[in-house]
Amino acid sequence: MQSTEKLVELVRQKHQVLLQLREVGGRQTDLVTAGDVASLLKLLAAKQELIAALQNLERDLTPYYAEDPERRVWKSPQHRVDCAKRVTECNALLEEIVRLEKIGAEKMTARRNEVADQLHQVHSAAQIRSAYQANRQSHTS
């Protein structure tokens, strides 16, 4: 039973980390849209810590994946149901996080392209201004 209690706790911790990652994913998308690079970098650092925590939890959960769930000894049938429900929620959260990551990546690419276009326009305007000034100077000399 101690083994299943540890499993329940690991699944609970995984669920908490996934909830935090989902929240971070939503904020990341907002910061990308707003162009707030400084806040985005801080958020990405925090996100990396959450990802590391999730990786550690997955490592701790790995032995349980090899076990036959039917042979586990549970404190009560309700504990088993609750754990299974939380595992299902974890899977749904993970899918949502992946979807948010994809949206975030698309927005970051779009934002990068917007900035590149703006830089290109500024550069083109500077070249035109330089050419105009050079032409003006050659006519006044």
Side-chain angles (χ1 to χ4, degrees), residues 2-88:
Q2 185 178 12
S3 176
T4 55
E5 287 178 26
K6 181 169 170 89
L7 172 61
V8 167
E9 179 57 22
L10 289 170
V11 170
R12 186 196 65 74
Q13 290 175 16
K14 179 179 177 178
H15 189 262
Q16 286 298 99
V17 170
L18 289 170
L19 285 172
Q20 291 172 325
L21 277 169
R22 180 180 64 182
E23 182 182 329
V24 165
R27 288 198 333 239
Q28 179 179 332
T29 300
D30 294 343
L31 292 173
V32 168
T33 301
D36 187 346
V37 176
S39 296
L40 179 60
L41 290 175
K42 288 178 190 172
L43 185 71
L44 290 174
K47 181 179 175 183
Q48 188 58 44
E49 290 179 24
L50 289 170
I51 290 170
L54 184 61
Q55 289 170 330
N56 288 334
L57 287 165
E58 281 299 323
R59 186 185 66 243
D60 293 343
L61 282 164
T62 298
Y64 294 97
Y65 297 144
E67 291 181 357
D68 179 1
E70 297 301 319
R71 301 191 78 199
R72 292 187 184 127
V73 179
W74 295 91
K75 192 185 251 185
S76 72
Q78 189 60 44
H79 270 81
R80 181 179 180 172
V81 169
D82 291 346
C83 187
K85 180 181 174 201
R86 190 162 276 163
V87 167
T88 300

